Each structure stands twice: as structure tokens, then as C-alpha cells.
Amino acid sequence: MPDLLLELFSEEIPARIQRKAAGDLKNLVTKKLVDAGLIYEAAREYWTPCRLTLDIRGLTTKSGEIQKERKGPSINAPKAAIDGFLHAAKLDDISKAEIATDPKKGDYYIIRTICHGRKAQEIIADVLPDIIYNFPWPKSMRWGVTSAKPGALRWIRPLHSILCLFSTNTESEIIDFEIGDIRSSNVTYGHRFMSSFKPIAVHRFSDYAIKLEKAKVILDANRRKEIILTDARNLSFAQGLNLVEDEDLAEEVAGLVEWPVVLMGEFEERFLVIPPEIIRLTIRTNQKCFVTRKPNEKNNLSNHFILVSNIEAKDGGKEVAAGNGKIVRARIADALYFWRTDQMPLPDLNRLSASAERFKLDLKKPLDQRMARLDHLHVTFHTKLGTQGARVTRIAALAAKIAPLVSINAKLVRRAAVLAKADLQTEVVTEFPELQGIMGHKYALLQGESKNVSQAIEDHYKPQGPTDAVPHEPISIIVALADKIDTLVGFWLINERPTSSKDPYALRRAALGVIRLALAQEWNIHLMPLLQEAVQLLICHLVEHNLAAYEQRLLSDNTSELNRVQDISNAVSLQKRKYEKELIAKANLVLQDLLCFFHDRLKIYLREEGTPYDAINAVLTPQTDNFQQIVRRIEALIIFINTDNGKKLLGCAKRAANILDVETRKKTVIAEMVKPTQFLRKEEIVLYNAIIKAEKKIAPILAEGDFSAALTSLASLREPVDLFFEKIQINDKDITIRANRLALLARVRALMIQVADFSKLAG
């Protein structure tokens, strides 16, 4: 069966989008071909900085016949609707249409037509121009003389040639079509600098790949990436060094070269006083180079780096390595300047005293100065949620509330929270935002902060995703919790919640972070009081924010009757109470919705951890706000229901729940409370006494959080419930007796639900 080879050759495509673009090309072409009735065996995409290539194997030579249906109006539709249908279908008489029947809609007209098969070459030539003209680039450009014409081709970079071949084992055929002033051909081009860059005629994919490699182009990006990593490791090892692995950088560099040549450069050792994170980011970001380290030195880098050239130089790459070394030195010199500047006093210290007093900062310390400046400059966090300084105030207050709940020094927690965002005003973080937190940690250690406080400054951003590590130090966890809770409550209050398709503020990630942090330690923390505390802190800010705007409107309203300052002051006071009342009323609904959002995230997290869905639903209630307890209950429940007592109790619980559900739907009267004076049989008395005993026993056990013991206590109800079902006719003729017996079952269910809702368990 024939194969299709397509190559789109252009100016350099940005490395970060090459893989996706090649995938888009494959998906678009194969879908169009299949929709047109062609079948293929395999398809694979390739990409280099200058080309997108698609290799489709085992393509059918002709499409099969396709029957198309056009549904029309009801046979009872108005004449105008039927005439419109005939016109669209290009028929002159409705008798040429068939009548079909729908059970719901009745009889309607339908036209069935058969599209005869077409040659694959015709289909390919028909679908490719539309795909190329409408290719989904994130950004595109026009060029050349034809760019001013309507409908001119737009591409990520100027497109130079299109190779399109339909080939068998014995022959190949050019699929002829035209895009602007480019006509498809059987010609490609090699490396721009290392080949003659003359047209290379090809016949099929096998000789295409071979001829490209002879012209110094390695087509397979994954192979280029492997060459880069292997040669980089070997070159490092030869110099007595280890490569600092970086898969993402290798992927990016593989998209920058067609013929990778790995070289080593160096810079002066004096630059190694800079933290390794800064050196690595400087070299990685600006020069797309890898760093190395000496063996057995995990945290320290060497002064040698690995670069990847796109040419084989006559001097073995010495000049290329030297040129990169000069640029790297200049970049690292800048980084050294940033590093040293961040440890020096700020020039505007005299303006920072008010902020320093507000946060109890020591202006003799560089990081404290940066925090004071962050507050002084009123750096915005979010238009509706105020400044970073205001946010730090809230985070510190909330963290101080959490600390005593888990017996952690509140003073240290507050210190960590106050300094957590200070490095946002450092030169290094301004240059490399990826280092926020990391640099705060380093600068805190340099100015003498405790190890735990310094670590918390770095860790409070964690976890930043489902695979990111969770902090283990208590101070880090507390500040991270306060930070994420403030973020979530704030955006919920201003109605900036995630939708099914958008989550611009990464609130799902923040909620998952809160869950993972809450489970990181054996802490018995209830979330709702913390959410309420965060709401109170935010309400104060939102009220002041709204009042400032309101007062400004009053002062600027020349027609207002409020001419005296006292009148304006009274109006502002009234408006303040109004705002507070509105926000407090709104807060309850907001927090319940936010707790529901946490529950959804928790379900997903636990399911991914392998927890049965029915066990989660059995334990989780709309009011549950202690994630640690939820996990403990689920673990205890799963163990319990796999025992003989558990299985039997589960059967009793389900039977009781089913009876109550049925009688509720039938609107049968169920007594509000059990009346022992209405018992007629000893089985009723035995069950009632067992319930009373279990209730007294379970309440303190649950208060201590011993869910295994609570389930064991519930098991004492199994025999009395079994006897009750066996000996007692619940639906007694006497309405009063029946209502009392149903109330007894309701009491059993209510007691069990305190531990878990057994009716939601499978089995």
C-alpha cells in the first residue's frame, strides 16, 4: 500500500512549540483523510527547527463509497420549510426524498446520497491547502509581495517549500497543489550552513531521511535529544565532572539544532560564590547551556558548562566555546552584582520606617528592608484584593492563629510569614522569578534567621502541583496553609472561581495544596474556623477598599447636598456598616461553596491514591472539615467492613436504610422519638437498650478520634438488629406501633451515620 510524505520547510520555528505543531499537523491531516474515506496503517510526525514532517504508511489508494444523509423537516411542516429543504438539497420535487420515522418526532423527510470513491491523490491535494492555510499557530505572520493580498498565507515564520509525495515501492508521485506562490514538489533542503543548501530530490521517506542526514540534518528530535544528553554526559565524565541533568533543557535545545555538536565552555571560579541556583538559571535561561558539578558535590557547581552548537567547526569548536564563555561570564557577572546588591542596604531606608514599624522589621537587615519596601511601594497583589503588604498582614495573622492549634511557637511562625514575600523586591528574583522563595531562604540565613524560619520562606509556596514535595517542617506547613487559604478565600469572595475550562489563578492547585499540607502531619485541624478567620481578615480589607472609593465619589460630587465634612463622615459610617453586613451575609454561602470545592479536590486526591469511591462517600459529609479525620475514618472503615462483623453489620445497616427510604417515599408516619412504653416485644427492648449503651460509649470515643474503636462498638448492634428483623413485624397494623418501630430503626441509622453512612457502601 502507498505512503504519504509531507514536509513543510520554513524559517526557524520556536523550539517550545515544535512538538505541538508537528502533533497538530498529524492530527489534522489524518482526520481529514479518514473523514474523506481513506484508511492508513500508521502515521508519525517529525520536526526540526526548520521543518514539520509527516510520514503516513499504508494509505489506501481510493476512498470507499460513502452514504450521506440529510435530514429534513416533518412531513407536516409548512410549505416554505419544505421548499427550503429542497433548495438546499438541490431537488425539484419532494417525492424524490424518503420518509423516515422517529418515535418522538414522528415522520420526516430524508435524502440519502451516495458519494462514489475518489483517488487518494485527489483527496490529499484537496485537504492539504485548507489545513496549511488554517494551521493553528499561536501567532503567525505574513511576508513577501503576496502578503497584501486578501487571504494571503500566514505562518509562524516564512514558509519556503512544500514537499508532498505519494509513493509505492516502485514509484512516487508529487501531489500537486499550490499555496500562495509556493508549489508542492519532491524537493527538500539540508543544513543551512553545513551543506551546500542545494535542492535535494527525494522519492519516499526512507531516502528522504537518509539524504537529510547526509546533508547534516537529524530528522528525529528524540534522537537529537539523546545525542545531546549522551555526549554531554560523556564529555563531562572525560573532564572528571558530572552533568547536572535537565530533560526540559535537552528538549528545548534539540529544537534549536539540526546537527547537535556538544562542546564544553568555562568561566572563572571566582563566580562560584554565587548560589548554584542563580548560576544554573543564568546559564540556562540566557545561553541554553547545561551546568556541571564535581563528583560527590551535590550542592556545588563546577566552573565548566556544556553548550550545544549547530555546526561542526573546523577548529573543533574552540572558537564557539570561547564565544559562549564570554557571554556566560558577562551574564554571571550581572548575577554576581544582583547577589551582592541584595545584601546591601537600600538607598531609600528613610522612607521605610512606617512599614518597618507595621511589621516589626529590623531595618538593619537586608531582607527586612526588602519587605518594608514591598509594603511601602504598595505593590499590587490583585486589584480587588489589595497590595502584597496587605496580603502579608493577613497571612501573618492567620498563621499566628494556626500555630497554637498545633503547639508551635507563634512568634517564629509570624516572623516566617512576614518575610515570606520579601524576596519579591530583590534584584535576583526580579531577574529570575523562578527563584522566589529560594532566594528568600538564602538571604534569611545570611542575616541570621533561624533555620526553620528560613526554610519556611522557601517552602511556603509548596506544594506547587500534585507531584511537588510537601514541606515537613511545622512552621513551613503553617505559613503555606495560611498563604493558600488566604488566596482561596480571597478569590471566592470576589467571585473569581475556577470554571470547567479556566483556572487562571491556579485555585485547584492551591486547594489540593491545602489538602496535602493538612495531611502532612498528624494534626487535628478543622478547616472551617480557619476559613472564617481568613474571611474576617479579608472583609476588613474589602470594606476599607470600597469605602475609599465611596468617599472619593462623595467628595467629587459637586451637586451633592453633603457639603460638610461631618455629613460625609456620617455617610461613610453608614456605608461601612452596610458593606460589612453585605459581606458577612455573603461569607456564609461563600465558605460553604469553598468547602464543597475542597471536598471535590479531596475526592479526586484520595481516588488517585487508590481509596475506594464508596468509602469516601460513606465518610464525607457536607460539613466535614477535618481532612486528617476523614482519612482515618476511611482507613478504619475499609479494615472494618472486610471483617465478618463488618460485613454483617453492613448488611443490617443497608436493610435498615432501605426500609426507612421506602417508608419515607410512601410518606409513612415515623415517630419523632422512640417511646419505650410502646414496646410490645422483648426484641424491641433489647435493641433499644443496645442503642442507648452504644450511644454513651461511642460519643467519647469519637471525640478522641478512635474510629476503629467506634466501629467495634457499633458491631455490638448487629445481633440485636438481626433479632429485631427476624422476630418483629415492622409494618404493624397499629399506626402508633409501626411509627415507633420505624423510629427505632431511624435511631440505629442516626447512630451509625455518626461514624459512617453504611448505605453508601457497595456490597
Side-chain angles (χ1 to χ4, degrees):
M1 295 179 76
D3 303 331
L4 172 65
L5 172 61
L6 173 67
E7 181 202 72
L8 304 173
F9 183 83
S10 68
E11 298 287 340
E12 289 195 7
I13 305 167
R16 66 184 182 280
I17 61 174
Q18 291 170 16
R19 182 183 289 272
K20 181 182 184 303
D24 287 340
L25 181 65
K26 172 186 170 183
N27 294 336
L28 289 168
V29 173
T30 54
K31 183 180 186 304
K32 288 276 189 181
L33 296 181
V34 170
D35 289 346
L38 297 178
I39 300 171
Y40 66 96
E41 292 178 356
R44 184 177 175 186
E45 71 275 27
Y46 299 87
W47 60 93
T48 77
C50 300
R51 68 198 82 220
L52 299 179
T53 299
L54 180 60
D55 175 30
I56 300 179
R57 302 289 177 90
L59 195 64
T60 49
T61 58
K62 188 178 181 180
S63 64
E65 291 186 344
I66 301 174
Q67 179 175 287
K68 293 185 178 180
E69 293 185 353
R70 180 190 287 270
K71 291 183 179 180
S74 166
I75 60 173
N76 300 317
K79 185 176 183 303
I82 294 174
D83 289 343
F85 172 61
L86 288 172
H87 178 74
K90 298 180 181 179
L91 294 178
D92 54 10
D93 193 335
I94 196 63
S95 64
K96 295 180 181 179
E98 299 179 37
I99 296 176
T101 301
D102 185 283
K104 294 181 180 179
K105 298 180 180 179
D107 295 340
Y108 61 94
Y109 291 112
I110 187 171
I111 294 174
R112 294 186 175 93
T113 56
I114 294 176
C115 297
H116 297 288
R118 299 167 62 200
K119 287 185 177 181
Q121 296 94 316
E122 294 177 11
I123 295 172
I124 295 166
D126 186 39
V127 303
L128 285 182
D130 180 63
I131 292 171
I132 295 170
Y133 270 115
N134 298 292
F135 199 78
W137 294 111
K139 289 183 179 180
S140 55
M141 61 180 289
R142 295 181 297 174
W143 65 95
V145 178
T146 61
S147 64
K149 296 179 180 179
L153 173 65
R154 301 182 69 92
W155 204 246
I156 185 71
R157 296 287 187 272
L159 185 65
H160 292 308
S161 69
I162 300 171
L163 180 151
C164 192
L165 289 175
F166 189 74
S167 58
T168 64
N169 290 332
T170 57
E171 60 182 18
S172 63
E173 174 186 350
I174 298 172
I175 303 296
D176 186 42
F177 60 91
E178 196 170 9
I179 303 288
D181 57 358
I182 303 171
R183 194 166 202 90
S184 58
S185 68
N186 66 336
V187 168
T188 187
Y189 298 87
H191 195 287
R192 292 192 173 188
F193 309 113
M194 296 178 63
S195 72
S196 60
F197 205 63
K198 293 179 180 178
I200 300 172
V202 298
H203 301 287
R204 57 188 58 84
F205 181 81
S206 57
D207 75 311
Y208 166 76
I210 291 170
K211 288 180 177 180
L212 276 182
E213 190 144 348
K214 287 180 179 178
K216 302 297 184 181
V217 175
I218 296 174
L219 183 64
D220 188 346
N222 292 324
R223 187 175 155 219
R224 295 197 303 274
K225 177 180 173 181
E226 190 55 40
I227 289 171
I228 290 167
L229 287 173
T230 301
D231 288 357
R233 292 179 190 123
N234 291 339
L235 184 55
S236 300
F237 182 76
Q239 298 295 323
L241 303 169
N242 290 335
L243 178 72
V244 176
E245 300 285 340
D246 193 331
E247 285 284 330
D248 291 339
L249 179 59
E251 171 89 10
E252 184 177 2
V253 174
L256 297 173
V257 297
E258 290 192 317
W259 190 259
V261 178
V262 177
L263 304 169
M264 179 172 282
E266 64 178 314
F267 54 87
E268 289 79 359
E269 288 191 354
R270 66 186 177 86
F271 289 120
L272 294 178
V273 297
I274 308 170
E277 294 89 350
I278 301 178
I279 295 175
R280 184 177 180 183
L281 261 180
T282 300
I283 294 176
R284 186 189 197 280
T285 304
N286 294 301
Q287 287 303 105
K288 310 302 178 189
C289 295
F290 299 83
V291 293
T292 63
R293 63 166 61 101
K294 294 179 181 179
N296 305 318
E297 290 192 20
K298 185 177 180 181
N299 297 319
N300 296 318
L301 301 180
S302 80
N303 64 321
H304 292 81
F305 63 92
I306 298 292
L307 63 121
V308 182
S309 173
N310 195 30
I311 58 170
E312 288 179 346
K314 292 180 181 179
D315 65 352
K318 292 180 181 178
E319 194 65 32
V320 174
N324 275 267
K326 289 179 182 178
I327 299 172
V328 165
R329 285 187 203 99
R331 297 293 188 180
I332 297 180
D334 289 343
L336 180 60
Y337 170 78
F338 297 148
W339 166 247
R340 287 175 173 168
T341 301
D342 286 339
Q343 298 171 59
M344 296 172 64
L346 291 171
D348 55 351
L349 279 180
N350 58 325
R351 301 179 183 178
L352 307 180
S353 56
S355 295
E357 187 177 346
R358 183 178 303 116
F359 290 99
K360 298 180 181 178
L361 298 167
D362 182 355
L363 290 182
K364 295 178 182 178
K365 296 182 176 181
L367 199 59
D368 289 54
Q369 294 174 21
R370 271 68 186 176
M371 179 57 225
R373 178 190 264 183
L374 184 72
D375 179 62
H376 172 73
L377 294 178
H378 303 293
V379 177
T380 301
F381 167 64
H382 185 279
T383 307
K384 295 181 180 178
L385 295 175
T387 65
Q388 288 283 7
R391 185 160 184 261
V392 169
T393 301
R394 297 195 301 270
I395 293 171
L398 185 57
K401 289 284 185 181
I402 300 173
L405 299 177
V406 292
S407 303
I408 302 298
N409 188 317
K411 186 177 179 180
L412 289 177
V413 168
R414 188 186 183 283
R415 179 66 175 164
V418 164
L419 294 178
K421 308 294 181 183
D423 66 356
L424 296 178
Q425 278 293 302
T426 61
E427 298 286 341
V428 170
V429 172
T430 300
E431 181 73 10
F432 302 113
E434 308 96 309
L435 292 179
Q436 62 185 9
I438 295 172
M439 297 315 302
H441 179 187
K442 293 185 180 298
Y443 291 138
L445 287 174
L446 285 173
Q447 72 174 30
E449 302 297 331
S450 71
K451 182 180 178 181
N452 291 341
V453 167
S454 302
Q455 188 66 51
I457 295 171
E458 177 177 348
D459 287 349
H460 87 280
Y461 290 104
K462 298 179 180 180
Q464 296 190 37
T467 59
D468 192 23
V470 178
H472 296 293
E473 288 296 326
I475 295 176
S476 299
I477 294 173
I478 291 169
V479 179
L481 275 173
D483 181 33
K484 290 171 175 56
I485 288 172
D486 176 79
T487 298
L488 287 160
V489 172
F491 283 109
W492 246 254
L493 277 174
I494 62 172
N495 295 318
E496 290 283 357
R497 305 168 195 184
T499 65
S500 57
S501 59
K502 293 182 180 180
D503 185 11
Y505 302 109
L507 300 180
R508 290 188 180 91
R509 187 175 70 186
L512 177 60
V514 170
I515 291 166
R516 294 180 66 200
L517 288 164
L519 297 176
Q521 299 277 349
E522 294 292 320
W523 289 348
N524 190 31
I525 293 179
H526 288 272
L527 185 62
M528 187 56 82
L530 301 181
L531 299 182
Q532 290 168 343
E533 180 67 26
V535 163
Q536 291 302 317
L537 293 168
L538 275 155
I539 283 176
C540 293
H541 163 74
L542 291 172
V543 168
E544 292 302 322
H545 176 76
N546 290 333
L547 278 179
Y550 176 75
E551 186 173 4
Q552 190 61 40
R553 288 198 302 272
L554 290 180
L555 291 170
S556 62
D557 185 2
N558 295 325
T559 62
S560 172
E561 295 180 3
L562 298 171
N563 294 318
R564 298 195 309 273
V565 174
Q566 186 60 46
D567 292 333
I568 293 178
S569 177
N570 290 337
V572 169
S573 297
L574 288 171
Q575 191 66 22
K576 180 179 180 180
R577 288 193 289 272
K578 180 184 176 184
Y579 281 146
E580 287 175 342
K581 187 175 180 181
E582 289 174 353
L583 285 170
I584 290 169
K586 178 184 177 182
N588 294 327
L589 295 175
V590 165
L591 291 188
Q592 198 56 50
D593 183 73
L594 180 54
L595 186 60
C596 182
F597 181 74
F598 273 113
H599 287 172
D600 291 340
R601 296 295 99 199
L602 180 64
K603 288 178 182 178
I604 293 170
Y605 172 73
L606 293 176
R607 286 293 294 123
E608 289 175 349
E609 292 291 308
T611 307
Y613 198 76
D614 61 334
I616 300 170
N617 285 337
V619 167
L620 203 57
T621 68
Q623 292 75 38
T624 307
D625 67 341
N626 188 319
F627 300 143
Q628 194 69 245
Q629 283 189 3
I630 292 169
V631 172
R632 289 175 186 166
R633 287 191 183 208
I634 291 172
E635 291 171 350
L637 181 63
I638 291 171
I639 293 170
F640 177 71
I641 61 176
N642 283 295
T643 64
D644 287 339
N645 270 341
K647 290 173 184 176
K648 291 174 182 177
L649 184 64
L650 176 60
C652 294
K654 281 185 168 290
R655 187 173 178 184
N658 290 337
I659 291 171
L660 289 168
D661 289 343
V662 169
E663 297 304 324
T664 300
R665 286 196 295 271
K666 289 163 59 177
K667 297 184 179 179
T668 304
V669 175
I670 301 175
E672 292 184 5
M673 57 184 299
V674 179
K675 295 180 180 178
T677 56
Q678 294 178 356
F679 291 155
L680 301 179
R681 303 284 298 272
K682 69 176 183 179
E683 290 80 10
E684 294 174 277
I685 299 170
V686 169
L687 177 56
Y688 179 73
N689 289 335
I691 292 170
I692 297 295
K693 185 177 179 181
E695 285 174 342
K696 291 179 179 178
K697 192 173 182 180
I698 285 174
I701 292 175
L702 286 176
E704 294 173 3
D706 191 346
F707 305 111
S708 295
L711 286 163
T712 302
S713 297
L714 280 182
S716 64
L717 294 176
R718 184 182 62 78
E719 288 187 12
V721 172
D722 275 344
L723 283 172
F724 181 80
F725 283 136
E726 183 182 344
K727 302 292 184 180
I728 301 296
Q729 181 180 351
I730 296 172
N731 286 324
D732 195 271
K733 294 179 181 179
D734 188 321
I735 296 175
T736 304
I737 300 299
R738 181 173 65 220
N740 197 52
R741 288 173 177 172
L742 289 171
L744 195 59
L745 284 185
R747 185 104 169 239
V748 170
R749 182 171 66 176
L751 177 58
M752 289 185 171
I753 283 177
Q754 289 183 43
V755 183
D757 189 345
F758 287 82
S759 66
K760 293 182 178 178
L761 291 169

